Amino acid sequence: MADFQDVLSDYDEFWRFSNNAWSPYLAEAQMDLRAYNGDTWTWQEKDYLTKQNRSILELNQIRPAINFFDGYFRDTMTSVTVAPVESSDQKTADQLGEVLLYTYDKGDADHKISEAVSHSFKVGMSLCGIYMDYADDPINGDIKFFWKPYNSFLLDPFFKSRDLSDCQQALLRDYVTRDEAKVLLPFISPGEIDTLPSNTRDAKFLSLPERNKFFDNSNLLTYDQYYRRTSREVELLVDLESGQTKELPQDEDARERLLQLVEFNPRVDIIKRNKPTIELNIVLSGVVVYSGPDPTKLDDFPFVSFMTYYDPDMDDFSIKLQGITRGMRDAQREFNKRNSKFIDIMDKTLYSGWLYKPSKLVDQEAVFQTGQGSNIPLKNDAQIGTDIQPIPSPPLPPGILEYQKVLDNLLPELAGVNQDMLGTSEGGNNLVSGALAQIRASNGLRSNRSVFDNMEYSQKKLAERVLEAIQKNYGSLKVQRIINEQPTQQFYDQSFDKYDAQIIQTVKSQNQKQQFYIDLLQARELGIDIPDDLIIEAMPMQNKGELLERIQQMQQQKAEQAAQQEEERQRAARLADSMTEEKVALAQERRARIRSDLALSAERISEAEENRASAALDRAKTLTEIEGLNTDNFLKLIGFVNALEQQEINDRDRVAREVTLGTEAVKSESGIGTPLLQQQQVSELADVGAISGNNNI
């Protein structure tokens, strides 16, 4: 086993220094925890009450108040997931969020966090963190969660940040068996652990239950984890244009590939820097058995602090860090004292004692009897009023009952809890509207909003550590087994959660499937069209297979009905097309008939033109002969010519009307008048008009 005398020396020095600084707080926190559990009397007070035959009353008002805060936190406890900064990173963020929820579920994270928060409400501070468990997965390990009470750790007394970013050292203690030590330290030879001495009862962490002298802890070993902030030299790939950096991996093959890429990329350079990190030293039963990086591979503490009231500017450690119990402890002590005295006064009012001469009593023990039917036998010569008489009862102080009411109302108010928050209205009047009661309760919780904000902040910091541990420990095959798909290239990018994603708090769920179901419901409420089968598939319920089978049957029936309706629609469409084709054929037939009629009309007009030409020739001949006629004959001839011309005009009008009436009849009967058909008819009629328009003489 290596020699770690320098580590052991620093370990002892840190314990002495930090223990002296934190001792005032540790003493107060121990009294806070005892007060929560119903023990506010000192040993001297208990001895005094016992000697006076008085009851040691513990009317615990602190526990309901703490349980209220604890219950509210558990009811409103949020879950964590990963949200992308840009939509292009959604796939990687979804995968990281799914693995994160899986780790929380398998590691009982919610239970450990709730216990840490509850303990913080009681005494002011607790720790919650992660460790690697290699029992089921010796290659990658499984991330598990733990929490530590106030008396099992010591932190750097000078830290100020709640995230412990400025805490330089920390010491955590556990008591484990040898078999447990072998599981926790798989990298240590079991033979070395067997040779270590058992617990030597050192002077450290005296308030732990395992230090109780009544316990047989001869088979336990002290398991101390001593953390120190330090630094390590790393090589960084730097993009000279964007300023982005990436640490060179430790794997030789991956490292070699990156170095080859750098040779051909002038905008990328390699620089060396010292990176802050954490050194873990494990001291098992007083012997340093390990010194190196934490098994989680984090460069920060693998735990976070949950603190209720913390004022880093205070130099008095007895009040620097407090829980909710601290403000109620004195009032609880006074409450118990007043009730004890009140009951003592009531007892004395019922039985205040006797003034008697011992020689006049048959049995001197009889005067100590109380209750109904108690008798005191006297000797025959005893005189009542002189030899024995009762002691007058003292009057009840007039203000004691009013003061008792003040204490009754004062205790919950010291914790920031009003009657509406506890379910009862002011003055005992419960006949108030639900909205008014909700407003009053909300106003009461607002005064304690900082307490819950501090707890949510610690939850977020813990999730960041878990996410980093996942990226550094879980191999691609393990991740693929968890999410049932291959992780993206960005999954193991350590800067992804810094630039491309962020950890957000969501509605608490038991696992990632339930979280997916909640997200689907919220998306539907926002108006997004989410399919019903997808929601049912994600729904966490019993006998879901039967429901899915019924839904598939209904969907199949709907599909068949839709197919029948589509077939009927197509049949109706084909029928309509056939009717349309029939009408089109009829229209074409009638158009052909119109063309025939038009041709016949044109032929008639042509004949009329010939007739008119012949008539004109005849008239011309006649005019040549007109000179030989007398006046009467001439007038008869003129009348005859005019009659012929009028007959020609009437013939032309009749032909035009027949053409027009035939065209309109065809349009009305066919019901089809396409623009092309109309255009052809107008063109043909125009031709007819043009022909007939040339008949002027």
Side-chain angles (χ1 to χ4, degrees):
M1 190 173 293
D3 184 11
F4 297 109
Q5 289 301 320
D6 57 337
V7 174
L8 194 59
S9 177
D10 291 344
Y11 157 79
D12 289 331
E13 179 63 26
F14 172 71
W15 179 83
R16 283 191 295 268
F17 170 70
S18 59
N19 185 69
N20 291 335
W22 286 104
S23 289
Y25 161 73
L26 295 175
E28 294 291 334
Q30 187 177 27
M31 289 190 287
D32 291 339
L33 191 59
R34 295 181 69 91
Y36 169 80
N37 288 284
D39 186 11
T40 59
W41 300 95
T42 64
W43 292 108
Q44 295 81 1
E45 292 169 342
K46 291 179 181 179
D47 183 64
Y48 172 78
L49 294 174
T50 301
K51 290 180 179 179
Q52 290 193 346
N53 293 325
R54 292 171 55 185
S55 300
I56 304 175
L57 294 177
E58 280 290 354
L59 307 178
N60 198 338
Q61 296 286 331
I62 296 178
R63 179 175 292 170
I66 301 298
N67 288 348
F68 170 79
F69 282 87
D70 187 18
Y72 180 78
F73 173 80
R74 293 173 188 262
D75 285 343
T76 59
M77 186 177 181
T78 58
S79 181
V80 291
T81 189
V82 181
V85 176
E86 299 177 354
S87 58
S88 59
D89 303 318
Q90 183 67 52
K91 184 66 174 179
T92 304
D94 290 341
Q95 292 183 349
L96 287 172
E98 189 171 352
V99 179
L100 184 66
L101 287 176
Y102 169 86
T103 304
Y104 268 59
D105 180 32
K106 297 302 181 181
D108 293 331
D110 292 340
H111 173 71
K112 297 297 192 302
I113 292 173
S114 298
E115 291 296 317
V117 170
S118 178
H119 191 76
S120 175
F121 289 157
K122 299 171 188 175
V123 299
M125 185 178 186
S126 64
L127 297 182
C128 187
I130 59 175
Y131 68 96
M132 300 304 299
D133 182 7
Y134 295 94
D136 297 329
D137 188 350
I139 304 301
N140 299 279
D142 294 316
I143 298 175
K144 296 296 181 66
F145 292 77
F146 69 87
W147 77 276
K148 296 290 183 183
Y150 78 99
N151 54 356
S152 64
F153 62 87
L154 289 173
L155 302 178
D156 178 10
F158 297 113
F159 86 90
K160 292 187 175 181
S161 299
R162 288 181 175 269
D163 61 355
L164 304 181
S165 59
D166 56 351
C167 181
Q168 300 301 315
Q169 301 179 78
L171 176 60
L172 283 64
R173 165 159 288 194
D174 288 287
Y175 284 86
V176 299
T177 64
R178 296 182 189 275
D179 292 335
E180 289 175 337
K182 294 175 183 178
V183 174
L184 291 172
L185 304 172
F187 44 84
I188 304 298
S189 172
E192 294 181 359
I193 296 177
D194 290 333
T195 60
L196 293 174
S198 61
N199 179 32
T200 57
R201 286 189 176 274
D202 57 5
K204 300 179 177 67
F205 301 96
L206 299 179
S207 60
L208 282 174
E210 291 84 354
R211 288 284 303 173
N212 194 308
K213 63 182 179 180
F214 300 106
F215 293 163
D216 181 12
N217 53 5
S218 59
N219 295 323
L220 297 179
L221 303 178
T222 56
Y223 181 83
D224 297 337
Q225 300 175 80
Y226 173 46
Y227 294 90
R228 295 188 299 185
R229 286 197 181 273
T230 181
S231 62
R232 60 184 177 91
E233 187 180 76
V234 296
E235 291 181 312
L236 300 176
L237 291 176
V238 181
D239 190 328
L240 300 179
E241 295 184 6
S242 65
Q244 294 184 356
T245 61
K246 178 180 179 62
E247 182 178 346
L248 281 176
Q250 299 296 326
D251 182 76
E252 291 297 334
D253 294 336
R255 178 187 179 89
E256 187 64 26
R257 288 195 299 269
L258 288 176
L259 291 177
Q260 291 177 359
L261 293 175
V262 171
E263 294 180 359
F264 301 97
N265 194 342
R267 59 179 287 181
V268 179
D269 195 6
I270 299 178
I271 61 175
K272 293 183 178 181
R273 288 291 185 271
N274 286 332
K275 182 178 181 179
T277 187
I278 293 293
E279 177 190 87
L280 170 62
N281 302 279
I282 299 179
V283 183
L284 188 61
S285 196
V287 179
V288 180
V289 297
Y290 173 79
S291 181
D294 188 86
T296 59
K297 300 178 184 179
L298 298 179
D299 290 318
D300 205 341
F301 294 124
F303 52 81
V304 297
S305 65
F306 285 86
M307 295 181 287
T308 303
Y309 299 118
Y310 175 62
D311 192 343
D313 297 325
M314 288 293 301
D315 59 349
D316 187 351
F317 278 79
S318 64
I319 57 177
K320 185 174 186 176
L321 186 61
Q322 300 181 29
I324 301 173
T325 306
R326 186 71 59 84
M328 303 179 65
R329 199 176 68 193
D330 291 339
Q332 178 68 64
R333 281 175 48 81
E334 190 65 24
F335 181 79
N336 290 337
K337 287 181 179 180
R338 290 294 165 263
N339 277 283
S340 179
K341 290 181 179 179
F342 181 73
I343 292 177
D344 184 56
I345 292 174
M346 295 295 294
D347 289 341
K348 289 182 177 179
T349 301
L350 297 175
Y351 172 70
S352 58
W354 296 87
L355 293 173
Y356 63 93
K357 295 178 181 180
S359 60
K360 299 299 183 180
L361 298 179
V362 175
D363 183 7
Q364 295 185 14
E365 297 297 330
V367 295
F368 297 102
Q369 298 177 5
T370 60
Q372 299 294 328
S374 299
N375 300 316
I376 302 176
L378 302 176
K379 293 183 178 181
N380 295 332
D381 58 346
Q383 300 292 326
I384 298 177
T386 56
D387 296 332
I388 182 172
Q389 60 180 353
I391 299 175
S393 300
L396 190 66
I400 189 171
L401 294 178
E402 292 298 326
Y403 184 68
Q404 192 69 17
K405 292 180 180 180
V406 173
L407 287 178
D408 290 342
N409 297 327
L410 180 62
L411 272 166
E413 291 178 358
L414 291 175
V417 180
N418 56 39
Q419 296 297 325
D420 292 281
M421 295 165 63
L422 296 175
T424 59
S425 300
E426 184 179 358
N429 180 23
N430 294 324
L431 299 178
V432 296
S433 65
L436 179 58
Q438 186 176 5
I439 292 174
R440 290 178 177 177
S442 176
N443 292 335
L445 288 170
R446 190 174 293 112
S447 63
N448 300 291
R449 183 66 251 182
S450 62
V451 174
F452 299 104
D453 284 344
N454 294 335
M455 302 305 161
E456 292 175 1
Y457 175 77
S458 298
Q459 282 183 271
K460 181 181 178 181
K461 290 300 178 182
L462 178 61
E464 292 176 356
R465 285 163 169 77
V466 176
L467 185 61
E468 183 179 353
I470 289 173
Q471 293 177 313
K472 291 185 175 181
N473 291 277
Y474 286 2
S476 59
L477 294 179
K478 185 180 182 72
V479 173
Q480 185 176 356
R481 181 70 181 275
I482 295 173
I483 62 178
N484 295 322
E485 62 181 1
Q486 187 70 25
T488 64
Q489 295 181 353
Q490 289 180 301
F491 187 92
Y492 294 101
D493 187 357
Q494 299 296 318
S495 63
F496 181 79
D497 61 334
K498 181 179 180 181
Y499 298 106
D500 303 313
Q502 57 183 347
I503 293 178
I504 61 174
Q505 295 176 337
T506 61
V507 178
K508 181 180 177 297
S509 61
Q510 295 180 357
N511 49 51
Q512 63 268 26
K513 289 185 177 180
Q514 185 174 357
Q515 180 63 48
F516 180 58
Y517 171 68
I518 295 174
D519 293 340
L520 290 177
L521 294 181
Q522 292 179 344
R524 170 169 281 191
E525 290 179 358
L526 294 176
I528 301 176
D529 188 13
I530 304 297
D532 294 337
D533 56 347
L534 182 60
I535 294 179
I536 296 175
E537 183 67 28
M539 183 183 298
M541 62 175 295
Q542 296 292 330
N543 299 327
K544 186 170 61 176
E546 182 178 354
L547 177 60
L548 289 174
E549 184 179 353
R550 294 290 184 86
I551 292 177
Q552 290 176 358
Q553 293 177 357
M554 294 175 59
Q555 291 178 347
Q556 184 177 359
Q557 293 176 358
K558 290 181 179 179
E560 293 176 355
Q561 293 176 358
Q564 293 178 357
Q565 293 177 357
E566 178 65 20
E567 184 178 356
E568 293 177 356
R569 187 190 66 79
Q570 292 179 0
R571 187 183 299 111
R574 289 194 298 269
L575 179 60
D577 292 341
S578 62
M579 294 178 64
T580 302
E581 291 175 357
E582 182 180 356
K583 290 184 178 181
V584 169
L586 180 61
Q588 291 176 349
E589 180 182 356
R590 295 189 176 181
R591 283 199 300 271
R593 188 183 303 167
I594 292 174
R595 292 192 183 95
S596 176
D597 293 340
L598 291 176
L600 180 61
S601 300
E603 182 180 358
R604 291 178 179 178
I605 293 173
S606 177
E607 292 178 355
E609 290 293 334
E610 292 179 358
N611 294 331
R612 284 194 297 273
S614 178
L617 180 60
D618 293 339
R619 284 195 297 272
K621 291 180 179 182
T622 303
L623 290 176
T624 57
E625 298 174 357
I626 200 171
E627 295 178 355
L629 299 177
N630 54 25
T631 302
D632 293 335
N633 292 332
F634 180 76
L635 292 175
K636 291 180 180 179
L637 180 61
I638 290 300
F640 175 74
V641 170
N642 289 336
L644 290 175
E645 290 181 354
Q646 184 64 39
Q647 182 65 35
E648 292 176 1
I649 292 173
N650 293 335
D651 291 340
R652 287 198 302 270
D653 291 341
R654 179 179 58 78
V655 172
R657 284 196 302 272
E658 290 179 355
V659 172
T660 301
L661 291 176
T663 302
E664 293 296 332
V666 171
K667 289 182 180 181
S668 176
E669 292 178 1
S670 63
I672 300 176
T674 59
L676 179 61
L677 179 62
Q678 293 176 357
Q679 183 178 0
Q680 292 175 350
Q681 294 172 349
V682 172
S683 176
E684 293 172 353
L685 292 176
D687 293 340
V688 174
I691 294 174
S692 62
N694 293 327
N695 297 328
N696 294 329
I697 298 176

